[in-house]
Amino acid sequence: MLDELGAAIVNGALAPGEVLRSEELQERYGTSRTVAREVVRVLETMGLTTSRRRVGVTVCEPAAWNHYDPRLIRWQLDGADRPAALRTLTELRSAVEPVAARFAALRATPEERGRLRALAVHLRQTARARDLSAFLGHDIAFHDLLLSASRNPMFAQLSSVVAEVLAGRTGHGLMPEEPQPEAVALHVAVAEAVDVADAVRAERAMRDIVEQAHHEIAAAVSSNLGG
């Protein structure tokens, strides 16, 4: 029920200002009042709806949404407006991840530097094996560790956002069957730069990673659309 309603709101099937009645939701989904209230409560915490007595549950304007919520991102990536969602998410990554890499090079612990090097090796191995599932797991862990090692808690909290982007890219067939050697080499370069505290090189390599991902996604989307 949450997934269907959330996706309907995020992808425009339920327009801002539209009013939903709790009784109608219960009947439509065959749920209890308790379940319906819990779903509405979650939608409200995400900024997708607001509730008022004698009015009902009203769909909110996009400006009110929590655009960093991983569920909202997943619904956007599953919808027809996926290219626009990917564009905005890539712009966010471009603004944050290179800077996070710079600070990680300056602030990471010896243990974190070692783990990052190990993840880069795993990425190279799984890329060669064309194991996209394992590659995705290591890729998510790599970016999560990098954001955490920046020692900026606001950067670190974007880890789930980046994870959804990476997972959505793989899940929707926007990844090459074999990850590009250049992309893997750039991850290795980031790990090596962080390992030797080279902030400038870490930032540059991470910026190249995000830019390459942007070009690959754009090409894949164009191909899927027949462009």
Side-chain angles (χ1 to χ4, degrees), residues 19-29:
V19 176
L20 311 173
R21 305 290 180 183
S22 181
E23 297 78 9
E24 294 173 357
L25 293 176
Q26 293 172 49
E27 183 177 349
R28 183 192 308 177
Y29 291 97

Side-chain angles (χ1 to χ4, degrees), residues 15 68 114 128 133 175 186 198 213 218:
Y68 294 100
R128 289 173 178 170
S133 178
M175 271 285 289
L186 286 170
D198 189 335

Side-chain angles (χ1 to χ4, degrees), residues 68-199:
Y68 294 100
D69 192 297
R71 291 162 298 191
L72 189 151
I73 293 170
R74 195 176 314 134
W75 295 331
Q76 288 179 321
L77 294 178
D78 287 343
D81 208 17
R82 184 182 308 138
L86 286 167
R87 184 187 68 250
T88 58
L89 289 163
T90 301
E91 289 173 357
L92 175 66
R93 292 186 64 194
S94 297
V96 172
E97 287 197 270
V99 180
R102 178 185 186 90
F103 288 131
L106 300 173
R107 300 169 178 170
T109 65
E111 179 187 2
E112 288 169 332
R113 296 175 199 274
R115 286 167 54 202
L116 204 64
R117 291 198 312 271
L119 285 168
V121 171
H122 292 320
L123 285 170
R124 185 158 47 196
Q125 292 171 340
T126 52
R128 289 173 178 170
R130 296 191 174 192
D131 187 343
L132 288 184
S133 178
F135 182 89
L136 173 62
H138 296 313
D139 200 19
I140 289 174
F142 185 96
H143 290 271
D144 173 71
L145 177 57
L146 196 74
L147 289 165
S148 176
S150 74
R151 295 293 176 274
N152 184 316
M154 299 184 75
F155 287 174
Q157 286 194 1
L158 290 175
S159 177
S160 58
V161 173
V162 175
E164 284 297 333
V165 178
L166 297 173
R169 185 184 174 194
T170 298
H172 292 291
L174 302 176
M175 271 285 289
E177 290 186 8
E178 178 180 350
Q180 295 298 310
E182 296 85 356
V184 177
L186 286 170
H187 282 76
V188 173
V190 169
E192 291 176 345
V194 170
D195 191 41
V196 298
D198 189 335

